[in-house]
Coordinates of all heavy atoms in Angstrom, one line a residue:
K348 N -49.3 11.8 -59.8 CA -49.5 13.2 -59.7 C -49.2 13.8 -58.2 O -48.8 15.0 -58.1 CB -51.0 13.6 -60.0 CG -51.4 13.2 -61.4 CD -52.9 13.5 -61.6 CE -53.5 12.8 -62.8 NZ -53.6 11.3 -62.6
A349 N -49.4 13.0 -57.3 CA -49.2 13.5 -55.8 C -48.1 12.7 -55.2 O -48.2 11.4 -55.0 CB -50.6 13.3 -55.1
F350 N -47.1 13.3 -54.8 CA -45.9 12.7 -54.3 C -45.6 13.2 -52.9 O -45.3 14.4 -52.7 CB -44.7 13.0 -55.2 CG -44.9 12.7 -56.7 CD1 -44.9 13.8 -57.6 CD2 -45.2 11.5 -57.1 CE1 -45.1 13.5 -58.9 CE2 -45.4 11.2 -58.4 CZ -45.4 12.2 -59.3
G351 N -45.8 12.3 -51.9 CA -45.5 12.6 -50.5 C -46.7 12.9 -49.7 O -46.6 13.5 -48.6
R352 N -47.9 12.4 -50.1 CA -49.1 12.7 -49.4 C -49.1 12.2 -48.0 O -49.7 12.8 -47.0 CB -50.3 12.2 -50.1 CG -51.7 12.7 -49.5 CD -52.9 12.1 -50.2 NE -53.0 12.4 -51.6 CZ -53.5 13.6 -52.0 NH1 -54.0 14.4 -51.1 NH2 -53.6 13.9 -53.3
D353 N -48.4 11.0 -47.7 CA -48.4 10.5 -46.4 C -47.6 11.5 -45.4 O -48.1 11.6 -44.3 CB -47.6 9.1 -46.3 CG -46.3 9.1 -47.1 OD1 -46.0 10.1 -47.7 OD2 -45.6 8.1 -46.9
I354 N -46.6 12.1 -45.9 CA -45.9 13.1 -45.1 C -46.8 14.3 -44.8 O -46.9 14.8 -43.7 CB -44.6 13.6 -45.8 CG1 -43.6 12.4 -45.9 CG2 -44.0 14.8 -45.2 CD1 -42.4 12.7 -46.8
V355 N -47.5 14.7 -45.8 CA -48.3 15.9 -45.8 C -49.5 15.7 -44.8 O -49.8 16.5 -43.9 CB -48.9 16.3 -47.2 CG1 -49.9 17.5 -47.1 CG2 -47.7 16.7 -48.1
D356 N -50.1 14.5 -44.9 CA -51.2 14.3 -44.0 C -50.8 14.0 -42.5 O -51.5 14.4 -41.6 CB -52.0 13.1 -44.5 CG -53.5 13.1 -44.1 OD1 -54.1 14.1 -44.2 OD2 -54.0 12.0 -43.6
A357 N -49.6 13.4 -42.4 CA -49.1 13.2 -41.0 C -48.8 14.6 -40.4 O -49.1 14.7 -39.2 CB -47.8 12.3 -41.1
H358 N -48.3 15.5 -41.2 CA -48.0 16.8 -40.7 C -49.3 17.5 -40.3 O -49.3 18.2 -39.3 CB -47.2 17.6 -41.8 CG -47.0 19.0 -41.4 ND1 -47.6 20.1 -42.1 CD2 -46.2 19.6 -40.5 CE1 -47.2 21.2 -41.5 NE2 -46.4 21.0 -40.6
Y359 N -50.3 17.4 -41.2 CA -51.6 18.0 -40.9 C -52.1 17.6 -39.5 O -52.5 18.4 -38.7 CB -52.5 17.6 -42.0 CG -53.8 18.4 -42.1 CD1 -54.7 18.1 -43.2 CD2 -54.2 19.4 -41.3 CE1 -55.9 18.8 -43.4 CE2 -55.4 20.1 -41.4 CZ -56.2 19.8 -42.5 OH -57.4 20.5 -42.6
K360 N -52.1 16.3 -39.3 CA -52.7 15.8 -38.0 C -51.8 16.2 -36.8 O -52.3 16.4 -35.7 CB -52.9 14.3 -38.2 CG -54.0 13.9 -39.1 CD -54.1 12.4 -39.3 CE -55.2 12.0 -40.2 NZ -55.4 10.5 -40.4
A361 N -50.5 16.1 -37.0 CA -49.6 16.4 -36.0 C -49.7 17.9 -35.5 O -49.7 18.2 -34.3 CB -48.1 16.1 -36.4
C362 N -50.0 18.8 -36.5 CA -50.2 20.2 -36.2 C -51.5 20.4 -35.4 O -51.6 21.1 -34.4 CB -50.2 21.0 -37.4 SG -48.5 21.3 -38.1
L363 N -52.5 19.7 -35.8 CA -53.8 19.7 -35.1 C -53.6 19.2 -33.6 O -54.1 19.8 -32.6 CB -54.9 18.9 -35.8 CG -55.4 19.5 -37.1 CD1 -56.3 18.6 -37.8 CD2 -56.1 20.8 -36.8
Y364 N -52.8 18.1 -33.5 CA -52.6 17.6 -32.2 C -51.8 18.7 -31.3 O -52.1 18.8 -30.1 CB -51.7 16.3 -32.3 CG -51.4 15.7 -30.9 CD1 -52.2 14.6 -30.4 CD2 -50.3 16.1 -30.1 CE1 -51.9 14.1 -29.2 CE2 -50.0 15.5 -28.9 CZ -50.9 14.5 -28.4 OH -50.6 14.0 -27.2
A365 N -50.9 19.4 -31.9 CA -50.1 20.4 -31.2 C -50.9 21.7 -30.9 O -50.3 22.6 -30.2 CB -48.9 20.7 -32.0
G366 N -52.1 21.7 -31.3 CA -52.9 22.9 -31.0 C -52.6 24.1 -32.0 O -53.0 25.2 -31.7
I367 N -51.9 23.8 -33.1 CA -51.6 24.9 -34.1 C -52.9 25.0 -34.9 O -53.6 24.0 -35.3 CB -50.4 24.4 -35.0 CG1 -49.2 24.4 -34.1 CG2 -50.3 25.3 -36.2 CD1 -48.0 23.8 -34.9
N368 N -53.2 26.3 -35.2 CA -54.4 26.5 -36.0 C -54.2 26.4 -37.4 O -54.3 27.3 -38.3 CB -54.9 28.0 -35.7 CG -56.3 28.2 -36.1 OD1 -57.1 27.3 -36.2 ND2 -56.7 29.4 -36.2
I369 N -53.9 25.1 -37.8 CA -53.6 24.8 -39.2 C -55.0 24.6 -39.9 O -55.9 23.9 -39.4 CB -52.8 23.5 -39.4 CG1 -52.5 23.3 -40.8 CG2 -53.4 22.3 -38.7 CD1 -51.4 22.2 -41.1
S370 N -55.2 25.3 -41.0 CA -56.6 25.4 -41.5 C -56.7 24.6 -42.8 O -57.9 24.5 -43.3 CB -57.0 26.9 -41.7 OG -56.0 27.6 -42.4
G371 N -55.7 24.1 -43.3 CA -55.8 23.2 -44.5 C -54.5 22.9 -45.2 O -53.4 23.4 -44.8
I372 N -54.6 22.0 -46.2 CA -53.4 21.6 -46.9 C -53.9 21.4 -48.4 O -55.0 21.2 -48.7 CB -52.8 20.2 -46.5 CG1 -53.9 19.1 -46.5 CG2 -52.2 20.4 -45.1 CD1 -53.4 17.7 -46.3
N373 N -52.9 21.5 -49.3 CA -53.2 21.1 -50.7 C -51.9 20.9 -51.5 O -50.9 21.4 -51.1 CB -54.0 22.2 -51.4 CG -53.4 23.6 -51.5 OD1 -53.6 24.4 -50.6 ND2 -52.6 23.8 -52.6
G374 N -52.1 20.1 -52.5 CA -50.9 19.9 -53.5 C -50.8 21.1 -54.3 O -51.8 21.8 -54.7
E375 N -49.5 21.5 -54.6 CA -49.3 22.7 -55.4 C -49.1 22.5 -56.9 O -49.2 21.3 -57.3 CB -48.2 23.5 -54.8 CG -48.6 24.5 -53.7 CD -49.6 25.5 -54.3 OE1 -49.6 25.8 -55.5 OE2 -50.5 26.0 -53.5
V376 N -48.8 23.5 -57.7 CA -48.7 23.5 -59.1 C -47.6 22.7 -59.6 O -47.7 21.9 -60.5 CB -48.7 24.9 -59.7 CG1 -48.5 24.9 -61.2 CG2 -49.9 25.7 -59.3
M377 N -46.4 22.8 -58.9 CA -45.2 22.0 -59.3 C -45.3 20.7 -58.6 O -45.5 20.6 -57.4 CB -43.9 22.8 -58.9 CG -42.7 22.1 -59.4 SD -41.2 22.9 -59.0 CE -40.9 22.2 -57.3
P378 N -45.1 19.6 -59.2 CA -45.1 18.3 -58.6 C -44.0 18.2 -57.5 O -42.9 18.6 -57.7 CB -44.9 17.2 -59.7 CG -44.2 18.0 -60.8 CD -44.8 19.4 -60.7
G379 N -44.4 17.6 -56.4 CA -43.5 17.5 -55.2 C -43.6 18.7 -54.3 O -42.9 18.7 -53.3
Q380 N -44.4 19.7 -54.7 CA -44.6 20.9 -53.9 C -46.0 20.8 -53.3 O -46.9 20.5 -53.9 CB -44.5 22.1 -54.8 CG -44.4 23.4 -54.1 CD -44.4 24.6 -55.1 OE1 -45.4 25.1 -55.6 NE2 -43.2 25.1 -55.4
W381 N -46.0 21.3 -52.0 CA -47.2 21.3 -51.2 C -47.4 22.6 -50.4 O -46.5 23.4 -50.4 CB -47.2 20.1 -50.2 CG -47.2 18.7 -50.9 CD1 -46.1 18.0 -51.4 CD2 -48.4 17.9 -51.1 NE1 -46.5 16.8 -51.9 CE2 -47.9 16.7 -51.7 CE3 -49.7 18.0 -50.8 CZ2 -48.7 15.7 -52.1 CZ3 -50.6 17.0 -51.2 CH2 -50.1 15.8 -51.8
E382 N -48.6 22.7 -49.9 CA -48.9 23.9 -49.1 C -49.7 23.5 -47.8 O -50.6 22.7 -47.9 CB -49.6 24.9 -49.9 CG -50.1 26.2 -49.1 CD -51.0 27.1 -50.0 OE1 -50.4 27.6 -51.0 OE2 -52.1 27.3 -49.6
F383 N -49.4 24.2 -46.7 CA -50.3 24.2 -45.6 C -50.6 25.6 -45.2 O -49.8 26.5 -45.5 CB -49.8 23.4 -44.4 CG -48.5 23.9 -43.8 CD1 -48.6 24.8 -42.7 CD2 -47.3 23.6 -44.2 CE1 -47.5 25.3 -42.1 CE2 -46.1 24.0 -43.5 CZ -46.3 24.9 -42.5
Q384 N -51.8 25.8 -44.6 CA -52.2 27.1 -44.1 C -52.3 27.2 -42.6 O -52.9 26.3 -42.0 CB -53.5 27.5 -44.8 CG -53.5 27.5 -46.3 CD -54.0 26.2 -46.9 OE1 -54.9 25.5 -46.3 NE2 -53.4 25.8 -48.0
V385 N -51.8 28.2 -42.0 CA -51.9 28.5 -40.6 C -52.7 29.8 -40.4 O -52.4 30.8 -40.9 CB -50.5 28.6 -39.9 CG1 -50.7 29.1 -38.5 CG2 -49.8 27.2 -39.9
G386 N -53.8 29.6 -39.6 CA -54.6 30.8 -39.3 C -56.0 30.5 -39.5 O -56.4 29.5 -39.8
P387 N -56.9 31.5 -39.1 CA -56.5 32.9 -38.6 C -55.9 32.8 -37.2 O -56.4 32.2 -36.3 CB -57.8 33.7 -38.6 CG -58.9 32.6 -38.5 CD -58.3 31.4 -39.2
S388 N -54.7 33.5 -37.1 CA -54.0 33.6 -35.8 C -53.8 35.1 -35.6 O -53.7 35.9 -36.5 CB -52.7 32.9 -35.9 OG -52.8 31.6 -36.2
V389 N -53.9 35.5 -34.3 CA -53.8 36.9 -33.9 C -52.3 37.3 -33.5 O -51.8 36.6 -32.6 CB -54.8 37.2 -32.7 CG1 -54.7 38.7 -32.4 CG2 -56.2 36.7 -33.1
G390 N -51.9 38.4 -34.1 CA -50.6 39.0 -33.7 C -49.5 38.1 -33.7 O -49.2 37.3 -34.6
I391 N -48.7 38.0 -32.5 CA -47.4 37.3 -32.4 C -47.6 35.8 -32.6 O -46.7 35.1 -33.0 CB -46.7 37.7 -31.2 CG1 -45.2 37.2 -31.2 CG2 -47.4 37.1 -29.9 CD1 -44.4 38.0 -32.1
S392 N -48.9 35.3 -32.2 CA -49.1 33.9 -32.3 C -49.0 33.3 -33.7 O -48.7 32.1 -33.9 CB -50.5 33.5 -31.7 OG -51.5 34.1 -32.5

Side-chain angles (χ1 to χ4, degrees):
K348 304 178 193 71
F350 310 114
R352 189 184 297 276
D353 52 346
I354 293 169
V355 175
D356 206 46
H358 175 250
Y359 195 177
K360 292 178 179 178
C362 284
L363 288 171
Y364 182 96
I367 292 168
N368 196 19
I369 185 169
S370 48
I372 57 169
N373 60 268
E375 269 303 330
V376 177
M377 189 182 85
Q380 188 183 85
W381 294 82
E382 174 184 299
F383 65 89
Q384 303 93 33
V385 168
S388 302
V389 181
I391 196 70
S392 65

